[in-house]
Amino acid sequence: MNQTKLILSALCLSSALWAYSSEPLPVQRFEGGLSVGMNIPPYHYNGESPNGAMSFEINGRYNIPSTAWDLGISAGLSIISWDPEDEYQYTCCNSDSFLYQAITSHYNFRQGKTFNPYAGLGVGIAEIDFAATNSVTGFLMPEVGLEIGRHFRVNLSGMICRKGLNTMALSIGFVIGGRPKKSK
């Protein structure tokens, strides 16, 4: 139920931002960046409560000419952590890690402007170290964010893969490229 609320909230936000979008400025074709953030599972699972952990991502995007869309790739490491709710357990916490790659696409509501809200979706695969076993799974990654001053990004994303491994992340990042093109 919480995932449904998250997805509906992202869709409502995207719709509102769409209404305020403007004609995209011509921008440089390629951009990329790095981001770090805080990652947390959105719910309790197997008698354990969610605990914050970290995420790290590197990405690159191609800005499709004459549109507000981009198409990109991303790779990252996402760690989630759980605290046992049973006070008599001897372990302090359990952690699982994702090493992932994804194809992404975003709509930039004010492309090339100082404040550029965006919304997007990624589809990818992740190698998961879960409960001391390794496995590979597919995932969806909806995200919304704000690019500030053409160089900084604040991003809220989710990783939807399978029960017990879904996460939400709030990250900040640095962007190189994608600035408005100089008029000739």
Side-chain angles (χ1 to χ4, degrees):
M1 186 67 175
N2 286 338
Q3 290 174 339
T4 304
K5 288 179 185 178
L6 176 67
I7 292 169
L8 289 176
S9 297
L11 289 174
C12 289
L13 178 63
S14 297
S15 298
L17 291 173
W18 187 290
Y20 292 105
S21 64
S22 62
E23 186 68 28
L25 294 174
V27 295
Q28 296 171 335
R29 299 266 171 97
F30 294 97
E31 64 182 304
L34 299 169
S35 66
V36 295
M38 182 66 133
N39 211 11
I40 190 164
Y43 48 79
H44 294 257
Y45 182 67
N46 280 349
E48 297 180 324
S49 59
N51 190 11
M54 64 147 288
S55 66
F56 172 80
E57 182 179 278
I58 184 168
N59 56 56
R61 291 176 297 283
Y62 174 75
N63 293 309
I64 300 170
S66 303
T67 72
W69 290 95
D70 66 47
L71 185 61
I73 57 173
S74 64
L77 172 66
S78 181
I79 299 171
I80 58 176
S81 179
W82 303 88
D83 282 334
E85 292 177 344
D86 181 357
E87 62 187 65
Y88 299 108
Q89 287 188 344
Y90 295 107
T91 58
C92 68
C93 61
N94 296 317
S95 64
D96 305 308
S97 61
F98 301 77
L99 190 57
Y100 66 90
Q101 305 86 39
I103 296 172
T104 62
S105 182
H106 302 94
Y107 183 83
N108 297 281
F109 294 97
R110 295 178 40 91
Q111 187 171 28
K113 307 284 182 163
T114 304
F115 293 97
N116 173 27
Y118 61 90
L121 183 68
V123 177
I125 58 171
E127 182 179 344
I128 302 169
D129 178 14
F130 176 64
T133 62
N134 287 345
S135 64
V136 175
T137 188
F139 67 88
L140 289 175
M141 186 170 58
E143 55 187 343
V144 294
L146 178 64
E147 187 171 298
I148 303 166
R150 301 181 188 102
H151 290 294
F152 299 98
R153 280 189 164 213
V154 178
N155 191 48
L156 175 64
S157 63
M159 187 176 281
I160 303 168
C161 57
R162 65 182 205 218
K163 188 167 178 116
L165 296 176
N166 299 323
T167 66
M168 293 174 50
L170 180 62
S171 61
I172 57 171
F174 184 78
V175 178
I176 299 173
R179 292 188 325 267
K181 288 184 177 180
K182 296 179 181 176
S183 50
K184 297 179 182 181

